[in-house]
Amino acid sequence: MAFGRAKFSRSSSSSSSGSLLSKLPLWVLRFLQFVFAITVIGLYAQDLRAASKAGKYSDNKWGYAVAVGVIGAVSSLLLAWPRLSMWGWGWDLVVFILFTALFGLFGKMYINERDEGISGIKRMKNAVWIDLINMLLWFITAVYGMIMFFFFRGSKSLHTGRATV
């Protein structure tokens, strides 16, 4: 009967995305992704604004950093919904790769740089570590999404519990 199988399958009364308590870690991760993406935008946009004000050339590297920050912030808001997160793990990987490139680009420029009291270099060294945090957060959510996708996609439908999704 169904009692022997119920131990290994999800009940029809619960959704495939889990309880509110099981969604909390994902929401915390997405919130942190949003906060750190906004931080990236703020740290790199300062130099773009200063260059624009001075009428100087703004380097494309800083434009890339701001664009990655915007992509990360918007994506974290959209993917905070657990059902999208389960299917959005591929996009998590894309954003992870973007932040990996950003960390590599600015890490090569600023990690070994001596700040010698210059606030701009100090700020950029801090920005590199924020990039690393972003990269790790996106990696964690990508792995979480893969696990949810590959292990829980064969669950029963939400309303009737009869169809396999």
Side-chain angles (χ1 to χ4, degrees):
M1 188 147 179
F3 293 112
R5 229 178 116 203
K7 183 164 107 175
F8 298 107
S9 66
R10 290 169 247 2
S11 68
S12 61
S13 64
S14 68
S15 70
S16 63
S17 58
S19 67
L20 181 63
L21 189 60
S22 70
K23 295 174 189 173
L24 188 62
L26 176 67
W27 287 340
V28 169
L29 285 171
R30 295 295 183 194
F31 175 74
L32 290 173
Q33 286 173 337
F34 178 76
V35 168
F36 283 112
I38 295 296
T39 304
V40 165
I41 294 168
L43 288 170
Y44 289 101
Q46 289 179 24
D47 290 335
L48 287 177
R49 185 166 185 251
S52 175
K53 258 182 145 177
K56 294 182 180 176
Y57 170 76
S58 58
D59 197 350
N60 290 335
K61 295 172 189 172
W62 276 259
Y64 172 76
V66 171
V68 170
V70 169
I71 290 169
V74 171
S75 297
S76 66
L77 290 176
L78 292 175
L79 293 173
W81 194 39
R83 291 222 185 253
L84 280 180
S85 181
M86 185 175 95
W87 294 94
W89 61 269
W91 185 250
D92 281 339
L93 279 176
V94 169
V95 179
F96 162 70
I97 291 168
L98 292 174
F99 273 109
T100 302
L102 184 62
F103 173 71
L105 177 69
F106 284 95
K108 185 176 180 185
M109 290 171 56
Y110 286 104
I111 287 178
N112 293 324
E113 187 75 23
R114 297 182 64 133
D115 60 7
E116 298 173 359
I118 302 171
S119 65
I121 293 177
K122 223 178 234 188
R123 180 175 41 82
M124 293 310 296
K125 287 175 81 87
N126 292 334
V128 169
W129 300 116
I130 298 296
D131 297 338
L132 177 67
I133 292 169
N134 268 310
M135 181 185 78
L136 294 174
L137 286 171
W138 284 99
F139 178 74
I140 291 167
T141 55
V143 170
Y144 172 79
M146 278 190 251
I147 290 169
M148 294 301 290
F149 180 77
F150 287 113
F151 289 115
F152 296 110
R153 68 179 170 165
S155 63
K156 299 294 181 181
S157 66
L158 175 64
H159 297 293
T160 63
R162 292 181 286 184
T164 302
V165 179

